[in-house]
Amino acid sequence: MSTGLAPAPAAAPVSAPALALARDLTQRQLPAYVHDLGALRAHVRTIRTALPTGLELYYAAKANSEPPVLSALAGLVDGFDVSSGGELAHVRRHRPDVPLALSGPGKTPDELREALAAGVERIHVESLHELAVLDALATRPVSVLLRVNLPVPDDVLGDRALTMGGSASPFGLAPADAEEALRRSDAGALPHLRILGIHAHLASGLSAAPQIAVARTVLTWARALFDRHALPLCEVNVGGGMGVDYAVPAERFDWAAYGDGMARLLAEHPGVAVRIEPGRAIAAYSGWYVTDVLDVKHSHGRDFAVVRGGTHHLRTPATKGHDQPCRLLPIDTWEEPWPRPEGTLDRVDLVGQLCTPKDLLARDVAAQTPLRAGDRVAFALAGAYAWNISHHDFLMHLHPTFHHLD
């Protein structure tokens, strides 16, 4: 199949290897997830260069736990954060050499048993009940962090932030419960648990300056808490949530500014191991969802292109309420015996195959030439929270294929 590739105005970036594969995939391979592992490694190396010595980098496996992604990250990150027994078993099976931290607000006793049996390096405890269950199950010393729901400074969060702390929330212990946890530990009521410090993931979608402000809040509060109990503060996990801008996909979180600010903060807290656990900001940029246009129709003044697949494969735009950034890939040849549908406008809405108006991937996408059936679309920022959070079997369409470029 011969193709002619031309980006739409302000088209989303696509790496050269991913763009070449998007052109060469057969129709039977579409839709497809394309992951550029070389781009992923380069991105993480850039992050590591920006981060100060002493700041540990964990990867939140919930963002994308595909085995090739985990293998590409192993050796570049200090560990993986897992959030269920299923993730724990999956990551241990594929990367048994990487340290793990287990998080999540609803750990079952069986999941805690599995974590103990697997020798998980850190368990983030979310409640006094969970603390008691873990101590009862443990037969050896277990290192834990207390996840705490701390107030978030009013001037830190923007409109687009997704907050997990600072108000009524199912995540973490209330500050008073964290005090009680340390009192119980002081009194010998938790003989198997070593409470090393605090974990606080308070918000997602933040830029560098508010991320640093949140980290300062967490570290300052944790230091005061442990000082009150005359205990050494060994570790603080300040969470992830580094912002990914889906509206301007070429712009990325300012890791250099973040690294400079965190270096100053670490200097104020010598002897404390500080850890971050981004997921989306690590994996999003190296994945694309590639599909083709099945039909183009005009309705009430708008053009709609129906693509193969949809939000049952790529739920991110429906979840976050945005237009997924994309690049249109014109295909010049048309070998079907029937006429080729094409748009009438220079703007088009991209929708999927589902029987719901919520199956909307992107609105008002600029097209240099009218979009036609048979043209292709590469949706960017699909390397994280994409396939793995989608309702795959709604309407029972075929699943996409997966391709990892290395």
Side-chain angles (χ1 to χ4, degrees):
M1 176 187 295
S2 65
T3 61
L5 298 181
V14 185
S15 75
L19 187 59
L21 182 58
R23 175 191 61 200
D24 292 338
L25 289 167
T26 67
Q27 188 181 78
R28 289 185 179 274
Q29 293 175 299
L30 299 175
Y33 270 99
V34 176
H35 296 272
D36 186 339
L37 300 181
L40 174 61
R41 290 192 187 95
H43 178 50
V44 178
R45 290 191 184 102
T46 299
I47 294 173
R48 298 280 351 202
T49 299
L51 297 182
T53 301
L55 182 60
E56 296 181 4
L57 175 64
Y58 270 50
Y59 169 65
K62 66 178 74 68
N64 185 333
S65 60
E66 294 171 22
V69 171
L70 298 178
S71 294
L73 292 173
L76 296 177
V77 298
D78 297 299
F80 293 143
D81 176 87
V82 296
S83 297
S84 72
E87 278 193 354
L88 166 60
H90 173 79
V91 173
R92 270 287 192 249
R93 181 166 61 252
H94 292 284
R95 297 304 315 186
D97 54 328
V98 179
L100 299 183
L102 175 65
S103 62
K107 305 179 195 68
T108 67
D110 281 345
E111 287 176 321
L112 292 174
R113 290 187 183 96
E114 292 162 8
L116 294 171
V120 169
E121 284 73 12
R122 294 291 177 273
I123 298 179
H124 299 164
V125 176
E126 297 254 355
S127 71
L128 292 173
H129 168 70
E130 189 175 287
L131 202 68
V133 173
L134 181 60
D135 182 70
L137 295 175
T139 58
R140 56 172 178 78
V142 180
S143 297
V144 305
L145 301 183
L146 302 176
R147 180 172 181 179
V148 182
N149 179 359
L150 297 178
V152 182
D154 292 337
D155 58 345
V156 164
L157 303 181
D159 294 338
R160 292 185 295 173
L162 176 66
T163 58
M164 277 73 72
S167 60
S169 165
F171 302 107
L173 294 92
D177 285 343
E179 296 272 8
E180 175 61 21
L182 290 188
R183 281 194 290 270
R184 294 182 186 182
S185 180
D186 293 343
L190 303 169
H192 297 110
L193 305 187
R194 298 170 59 240
I195 301 177
L196 299 181
I198 295 300
H199 170 224
H201 179 58
L202 302 180
S204 292
L206 302 182
S207 60
Q211 277 283 6
I212 296 165
V214 167
R216 182 178 297 280
T217 296
V218 174
L219 274 161
T220 301
W221 185 89
R223 172 68 77 183
L225 171 69
F226 275 69
D227 284 350
R228 284 196 296 274
H229 291 265
L231 294 172
L233 177 63
C234 302
E235 297 180 13
V236 175
N237 184 324
V238 297
M242 289 70 186
V244 171
D245 193 340
Y246 288 85
V248 189
E251 293 188 7
R252 300 193 181 187
F253 182 82
D254 191 342
W255 286 103
Y258 179 75
D260 290 344
M262 291 301 292
R264 293 190 294 271
L265 191 54
L266 264 61
E268 298 171 10
H269 296 273
V272 180
V274 182
R275 184 175 303 134
I276 60 175
E277 51 180 23
R280 190 189 307 269
I282 286 180
Y285 300 100
S286 58
W288 292 266
Y289 177 64
V290 180
T291 187
D292 59 343
V293 177
L294 298 174
D295 196 1
V296 185
K297 58 184 74 174
H298 188 82
S299 177
H300 294 271
R302 299 182 74 88
D303 276 357
F304 293 86
V306 182
V307 303
R308 196 185 309 267
T311 57
H312 54 301
H313 292 170
L314 179 64
R315 189 172 172 231
T316 324
T319 301
K320 292 183 68 67
H322 67 229
D323 299 309
Q324 193 73 16
C326 63
R327 181 167 178 172
L328 306 182
L329 310 177
I331 303 298
D332 291 336
T333 57
W334 178 257
E335 299 175 355
E336 306 296 351
W338 46 81
R340 186 178 192 180
E342 68 174 46
T344 60
L345 305 173
D346 60 1
R347 298 272 169 173
V348 61
D349 292 357
L350 302 178
V351 301
Q353 294 176 279
L354 300 182
C355 304
T356 168
K358 294 184 178 181
D359 191 16
L360 176 61
L361 294 164
R363 296 163 295 181
D364 289 324
V365 176
Q368 287 183 323
T369 58
L371 193 62
R372 304 159 297 180
D375 288 340
R376 296 188 176 183
V377 186
F379 291 95
L381 300 185
Y385 296 107
W387 169 251
N388 62 336
I389 65 163
S390 301
H391 48 300
H392 307 154
D393 292 326
F394 180 50
L395 295 196
M396 303 181 70
H397 285 292
L398 293 177
H399 289 188
T401 61
F402 292 82
H403 309 266
H404 296 87
L405 303 170
D406 205 351

